[in-house]
């Protein structure tokens, strides 16, 4: 902790003006308060005060972040995160109780500190503060009685560089979806119009609670709307924004501010107070140019660092209209496109509440799915589904997806490795679980799966050249046909030997053709939900995560089993089976923003394999006992068959795959520790190449998902919309 005075006393006044508690104070009163405060710096990790300590001061955050937490059974439970302008410590000062939680700096933080004796002098000098603090104290005590002493609301500003890009429609759709998904209270502060029931004079002189019910209207879709356009046209409106938002965050969990199209002090004030900024733009070039300039202004005005800005692209232009592509827009803005709202034919006309409710209620509408994903991200309830590797064992993923679809369990992101990447890619590209099941059943004949490999042996070019030279030599001595046959035999023989040495004996061309057909040329940009495909780069010992480009290429890289398939080169890297580095990509989903992850692990445990071996051994003994009573020729033929099988078993491919799965099992167990729920639809007696028998795997996936159905629904945050 370091205490120091700023070079200019006026700096303290500027800080105090940003605090909702003091926003209505006069300059004289602010100077009176500033003279009694001191500026204290807390380094990252320092504790401001601890639970159970006596209250000594009132605190105001100038910059940085603090977390409020309690400790129980040796574990920390974060109650709230405090940001710039937040104040704390007033409850203990006003009630005389000890502090009920710890407060610690998340990063280096500057705090204005008002000692207890000076706090008493301030509230005695400025009686209007007593009313504000008493209302704040009452609400927080009521919240504490309900078991949640602190409630962190979220303020999101919705802003655009020009009109006509669907900003207000986006705010309305987002508010309605937040109500539907969370069941929490939501308010939209409409600042874009001029009509307003709230004026700066009202806000600064009359408690908002007394006028809110008459000033706010209830939207048919369940959220409240507060018209506050006059705050952004009145000279004194800027001072009223912070008190307004302070009161709203005590009443509502989500506050959405629909800002006017300009950048003035009032708008900057609202942006400064917001936790998130959704910057909405259309796909036209002039929109992009103006938005690019606006981003630079916002960064310069806000100091950039801690504001979280998300670009929302609304595709208002129809398929036949000229527009820039999302990739070109992101390059022009030098900012990633966080969300792309798909084109809706009626979007250019204002939808009625009934039409909007019908659109948002559709589970097949790309627009509704995107809005829902934005709402769930804002509510910190994004659910990711991680489908693991396992070759044929991974067909169990299909059964899990069938239950997810049937029970309408929301999934917001999906990631996969190897066979998990294939099934995740097909599902994200628009194939239903039943469609994927029908595709799996096409391989019921063992030949259907083996022809993808046996007829696709990789023959190195060197072997072809060597065979041609050998054939010409023999042909010159023994005749053309003899030379042709000899050259072919040399080419195949050398190719079989050199094929594995060049990365793997199977070329993968037939597999790639099959994948291209199944994905119909779709790219990651065509998926209905975000998809991550994981491959491995063994040269750098790193995972390669694909999230753009053709789906077939990414999946082909992810299923390239080492020593069997030739690796592929993508993004300038050698790519192999994703299971080598991340067999169940829980961490990939966490990094992508998933708040909850459901993992599907198809690898049998060591205990399950041991139990299966015991069962096999028991059946073998029973069979041998029955065979002992059979005639000698039958016993002899059976013994010859056993010796033949033992002489060629296990095949080299089986050794490679079993070894790889042993390694993947260990990595998968570690990865699943980060998941909220791990489904284990294992079939211990199965073979990794058993694609020709998909039913047991799919059925096992369904059984496991149904077993944990209640937990799946809980993690996904499913609730009865009609009875919240």
């Amino acid at each position: 902790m370091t205490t120091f005075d700023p070079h200019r006393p006026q700096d303290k006044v500027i800080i105090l003006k940003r605090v909702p508690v003091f926003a209505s104070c006069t300059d004289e009163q602010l100077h009176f308060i500033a003279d009694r405060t001191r500026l204290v710096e807390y380094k990252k990790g320092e504790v401001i005060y601890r639970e159970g300590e006596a209250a000594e001061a009132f605190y105001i955050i100038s910059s940085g972040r603090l977390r409020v937490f309690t400790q129980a059974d040796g574990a920390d439970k974060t109650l709230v995160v405090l940001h710039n302008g937040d104040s704390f410590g007033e409850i203990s000062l006003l009630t005389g109780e000890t502090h009920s939680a710890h407060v610690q700096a998340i990063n280096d933080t500057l705090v204005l500190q008002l000692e207890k004796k000076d706090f008493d002098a301030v509230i005695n000098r400025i009686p209007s503060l007593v009313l504000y603090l008493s209302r704040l104290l009452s609400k927080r005590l009521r919240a504490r009685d309900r078991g949640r002493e602190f409630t962190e609301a979220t303020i999101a500003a919705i802003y655009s560089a020009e009109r006509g890009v669907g900003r207000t429609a986006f705010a309305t759709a987002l508010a309605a979806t937040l109500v539907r998904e969370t069941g929490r209270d939501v308010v939209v502060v409409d600042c874009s119009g001029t009509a307003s029931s709230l004026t700066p004079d009202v806000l600064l002189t009359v408690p908002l609670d007394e006028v809110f019910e008459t000033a706010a209207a209830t939207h048919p879709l369940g959220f409240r709307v507060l018209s506050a356009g006059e705050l952004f046209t009145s000279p004194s409106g800027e001072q009223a924004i912070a008190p307004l938002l302070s009161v709203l965050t005590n009443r509502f969990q989500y506050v959405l501010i629909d800002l006017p199209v300009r950048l003035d002090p009032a708008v900057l004030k609202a942006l400064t107070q917001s936790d998130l900024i959704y910057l909405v733009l259309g796909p036209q070039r002039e929109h992009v140019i103006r938005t690019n300039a606006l981003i630079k202004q916002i960064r310069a005005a806000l100091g950039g660092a801690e504001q979280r800005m998300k670009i929302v692209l609304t595709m208002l232009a129809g398929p036949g209209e000229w527009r820039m592509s999302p990739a070109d827009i992101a390059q022009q803005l030098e900012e990633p496109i966080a969300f792309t709202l798909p084109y809706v034919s009626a979007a250019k006309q204002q939808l009625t509440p009934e039409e909007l409710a019908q659109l948002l209620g559709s589970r097949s509408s790309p627009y509704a799915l995107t809005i829902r994903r934005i709402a769930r991200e804002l509510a910190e309830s994004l659910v990711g589904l991680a489908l693991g590797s396992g070759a044929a064992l991974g067909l169990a993923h299909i059964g899990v997806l069938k239950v997810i679809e049937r029970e309408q369990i929301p999934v917001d992101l999906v990631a996969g490795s190897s066979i998990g990447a294939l099934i995740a890619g097909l599902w994200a590209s628009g194939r239903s679980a039943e469609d994927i099941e029908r595709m799996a059943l096409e391989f019921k004949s063992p030949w259907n799966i083996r022809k993808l490999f046996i007829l696709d042996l990789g023959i190195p070019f060197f072997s072809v050249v060597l065979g041609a030279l050998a054939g010409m030599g023999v042909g010159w001595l023994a005749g053309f046909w003899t030379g042709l046959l000899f050259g072919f035999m040399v080419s195949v023989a050398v190719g079989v030997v050199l094929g594995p040495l060049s990365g793997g004996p199977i070329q993968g061309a037939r597999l790639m053709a099959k994948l291209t057909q199944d994905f119909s040329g779709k790219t990651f940009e065509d998926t209905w939900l975000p998809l991550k495909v994981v491959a491995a780069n063994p040269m750098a010992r790193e995972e390669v995560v694909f999230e753009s480009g053709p789906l077939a290429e990414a999946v082909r890289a992810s299923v390239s089993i080492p020593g069997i398939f030739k690796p592929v080169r993508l993004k300038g890297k050698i790519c192999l089976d994703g299971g080598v580095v991340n067999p169940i990509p829980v961490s990939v989903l966490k990094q992508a923003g998933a708040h909850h992850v459901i993992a599907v692990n198809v690898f049998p445990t060591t205990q399950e394999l041991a139990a299966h071996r015991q069962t096999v051994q028991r059946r073998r003994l029973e069979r041998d006992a029955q065979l002992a009573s059979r005639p000698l020729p039958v016993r002899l033929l059976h013994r010859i068959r056993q010796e033949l099988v033992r002489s060629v078993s296990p095949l080299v491919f089986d050794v490679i795959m079993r070894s790889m799965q042993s390694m993947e099992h260990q990595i998968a167990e570690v990865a699943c520790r980060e998941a909220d729920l791990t489904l284990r639809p294992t079939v211990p007696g199965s073979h990794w190449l058993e694609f020709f028998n998909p039913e047991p795997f799919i059925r096992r996936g369904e059984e496991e998902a149904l077993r944990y159905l209640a937990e799946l629904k809980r993690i996904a945050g499913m609730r009865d919309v009609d009875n919240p």
Side-chain angles (χ1 to χ4, degrees):
M1 180 181 71
T2 305
T3 303
F4 58 91
D5 290 324
H7 297 296
R8 297 182 305 161
Q10 183 67 18
D11 291 345
K12 289 184 180 180
V13 175
I14 295 173
I15 295 171
L16 292 172
K17 283 184 176 180
R18 297 202 303 261
V19 181
V21 176
F22 304 118
S24 60
C25 293
T26 64
D27 286 346
E28 181 183 353
Q29 292 171 335
L30 290 173
H31 279 91
F32 176 79
I33 300 169
D35 290 341
R36 284 156 179 77
T37 60
R38 57 178 182 151
L39 196 58
V40 181
E41 182 183 28
Y42 291 92
K43 295 295 184 181
K44 179 180 179 179
E46 278 195 80
V47 175
I48 287 76
Y49 58 71
R50 301 183 182 277
E51 183 177 352
E53 293 181 350
E56 297 180 350
F58 174 63
Y59 306 88
I60 304 153
I61 302 176
S62 171
S63 65
R65 292 181 300 159
L66 302 170
R67 73 179 183 115
V68 182
F69 68 99
T70 58
Q71 291 180 326
D73 300 326
D76 291 353
K77 178 183 178 182
T78 299
L79 302 175
V80 71
V81 175
L82 302 175
H83 303 271
N84 300 1
D86 287 334
S87 58
F88 59 99
E90 68 278 1
I91 290 182
S92 299
L93 286 175
L94 293 170
T95 62
E97 300 176 354
T98 58
H99 292 302
S100 57
H102 306 274
V103 179
Q104 184 183 41
I106 296 177
N107 50 9
D108 292 354
T109 304
L110 285 177
V111 175
L112 274 181
Q113 195 164 304
L114 186 64
E115 301 295 331
K116 185 179 185 306
K117 59 181 178 57
D118 295 316
F119 178 79
D120 294 337
V122 166
I123 61 175
N124 289 331
R125 174 74 174 268
I126 311 173
S128 61
L129 291 179
V130 178
L131 178 61
Y132 181 92
L133 290 172
S134 64
R135 292 202 306 268
L136 180 62
L137 174 62
S138 176
K139 289 174 183 175
R140 290 192 175 177
L141 289 177
R142 287 199 303 270
R144 184 171 62 184
D145 292 339
R146 293 194 297 268
R148 50 183 183 91
E149 182 176 356
F150 299 98
T151 300
E152 185 178 13
T154 301
I155 303 173
I158 300 169
Y159 195 31
S160 60
E162 64 176 67
R163 297 177 179 84
V165 296
R167 184 191 68 251
T168 299
F170 170 68
T172 303
L174 180 58
T177 306
L178 279 169
V179 172
R180 184 183 185 90
E181 290 291 325
T182 68
R184 307 300 294 270
D185 294 329
V186 181
V187 63
V188 174
V189 183
D190 182 9
C191 306
S192 58
T194 56
S196 175
S197 303
L198 294 176
T199 65
D201 293 338
V202 169
L203 285 173
L204 296 176
T205 57
V206 181
L208 182 60
D209 289 341
E210 298 180 11
V211 298
F212 183 82
E213 294 303 328
T214 57
T218 301
H219 194 276
L221 294 181
F223 58 90
R224 303 297 291 275
V225 180
L226 186 64
S227 297
E230 193 168 335
L231 296 183
F232 292 82
T233 57
S234 172
S236 57
E238 178 188 354
Q239 298 180 7
I241 292 172
L244 170 64
L245 295 177
S246 177
V247 174
L248 292 179
T249 52
N250 282 319
R251 294 183 60 117
F252 296 92
Q253 184 67 31
Y254 302 101
V255 180
L256 308 182
I257 314 173
D258 185 7
L259 290 170
V261 182
R262 58 176 179 272
L263 192 61
D264 54 27
V267 171
L268 283 175
K269 183 73 171 181
L271 293 174
T272 302
Q273 298 296 314
S274 300
D275 303 302
L276 276 172
I277 301 173
Y278 292 109
L279 199 56
V280 185
L281 75 156
Q284 287 76 17
R285 182 173 296 277
E286 58 271 18
H287 292 186
V288 177
I289 293 173
R290 291 191 178 94
T291 301
N292 191 29
L294 180 63
I295 290 174
K296 290 181 171 58
Q297 289 179 287
I298 293 175
R299 295 289 188 197
L302 299 182
E306 291 193 317
Q307 287 292 341
R308 293 184 293 161
M309 185 184 304
K310 294 185 178 292
I311 308 298
V312 179
L313 175 62
T314 58
M315 304 301 286
L316 295 180
E321 301 179 44
W322 182 88
R323 64 189 184 189
M324 293 179 66
S325 68
D328 291 339
I329 293 173
Q331 184 177 7
Q332 179 81 16
L333 296 178
E334 298 181 350
E335 294 280 347
I337 305 296
F339 303 101
T340 300
L341 287 174
Y343 174 72
V344 178
S345 58
K348 290 189 176 181
Q349 301 175 356
Q350 188 170 1
L351 298 176
T352 65
E354 294 77 15
E355 292 171 334
L356 181 59
Q358 184 177 3
L359 175 64
L360 296 178
S362 172
R363 292 190 174 270
S364 60
S365 165
Y367 181 89
L369 290 171
T370 305
I371 290 289
R372 188 187 72 177
R373 188 158 57 251
I374 298 172
R376 290 171 65 82
E377 181 186 77
L378 190 60
E380 297 186 348
S381 60
L382 285 177
V383 174
L385 178 65
L387 303 183
S389 58
L393 285 63
L395 294 172
H397 297 320
I398 301 173
V400 173
L401 292 179
K402 288 178 68 176
V403 174
I404 287 175
E405 285 186 357
R406 188 165 59 241
E407 299 296 331
Q408 297 185 339
I409 297 172
V411 173
D412 304 292
L413 307 94
V414 63
S417 289
S418 195
I419 182 66
L422 172 60
I423 294 175
L426 290 171
W427 193 53
S429 68
R431 303 267 192 174
S432 68
E434 290 187 356
D435 292 337
I436 303 174
E437 182 180 26
R438 282 193 292 270
M439 295 171 66
L441 293 174
E442 293 176 0
F443 291 96
K444 289 212 64 173
S445 168
W447 172 247
N448 287 339
I449 183 67
R450 289 171 183 168
K451 69 181 181 182
L452 292 176
F453 310 138
I454 296 175
L455 300 181
D456 193 25
L457 294 177
I459 305 297
F461 179 73
F462 174 76
S463 66
V464 177
V465 174
L466 186 63
L469 293 175
M472 285 189 293
V474 172
W476 182 73
L477 296 173
F480 174 77
W481 293 108
T482 303
L484 182 63
L485 178 61
F486 182 78
F488 174 76
M489 293 173 61
V490 170
S491 179
V492 171
V494 175
V496 169
V497 174
L498 295 183
L501 299 179
S502 62
I506 299 176
Q507 186 74 23
R510 293 181 65 87
L511 175 61
M512 185 63 192
K514 175 64 175 170
L515 292 174
T516 302
Q517 176 186 348
D518 291 341
F519 285 107
S520 304
K522 290 187 176 181
T523 67
F524 282 83
E525 290 72 23
D526 299 320
T527 58
W528 67 271
L529 82 170
L531 167 68
K532 314 290 180 183
V533 170
V534 179
N537 176 12
M539 302 306 175
R541 299 180 184 175
E542 65 179 2
E543 66 180 13
V544 181
V545 180
F546 294 95
E547 50 193 356
S548 63
L551 291 172
E553 289 184 359
V555 172
R556 165 65 179 89
S558 185
V559 301
S560 300
I561 303 171
I564 298 178
F565 282 98
K566 289 186 182 298
V568 297
R569 289 183 179 271
L570 290 174
K571 296 184 176 181
K573 301 176 180 179
I574 295 177
C575 296
L576 290 173
D577 195 303
V580 172
V581 292
N582 199 346
I584 304 181
V586 176
S587 59
V588 173
L589 291 171
K590 290 282 189 179
Q591 292 168 7
H595 304 100
H596 308 287
V597 175
I598 301 164
V600 185
N601 185 355
V602 299
F603 295 114
T605 63
T606 303
Q607 293 78 11
E608 288 175 326
L609 290 176
H612 173 69
R613 285 197 302 271
Q614 290 177 357
T615 301
V616 171
Q617 181 66 20
R618 185 176 64 253
R619 290 175 180 172
R620 182 181 295 114
L621 293 175
E622 293 173 355
R623 187 171 58 251
D624 290 345
Q626 294 174 356
L627 190 65
S629 61
R630 305 293 297 274
L632 178 61
V634 174
R635 297 199 303 261
L636 184 59
L637 289 174
H638 179 73
R639 182 62 181 269
I640 293 173
R641 178 178 175 274
Q642 284 183 321
E643 290 300 325
L644 286 174
V645 171
R646 188 178 294 115
S647 65
V648 297
S649 180
L651 295 174
V652 63
F653 290 164
D654 201 38
V655 172
I656 292 173
M657 196 63 192
R658 296 287 187 180
S659 301
M660 182 174 164
Q661 288 191 342
S662 297
M663 174 194 67
E664 290 180 25
H665 165 68
Q666 300 295 331
I667 303 174
E669 289 298 315
V670 176
C672 288
R673 294 174 188 170
E674 296 185 43
D676 296 74
L677 173 66
T678 300
L679 302 179
R680 298 179 181 273
T682 58
V683 184
S686 58
H687 191 276
W688 64 272
L689 200 55
E690 206 171 332
F691 289 96
F692 51 84
N693 187 27
E695 289 96 335
F697 300 103
I698 297 174
R699 183 170 58 251
R700 185 70 187 90
E702 286 190 78
E703 293 171 352
E704 185 74 358
L706 288 172
R707 178 186 173 195
Y708 288 97
L709 183 58
E711 186 69 6
L712 284 170
K713 291 183 175 181
R714 184 194 66 79
I715 291 172
M718 294 183 69
R719 49 182 297 276
D720 188 344
V721 177
D722 297 324
N723 299 291

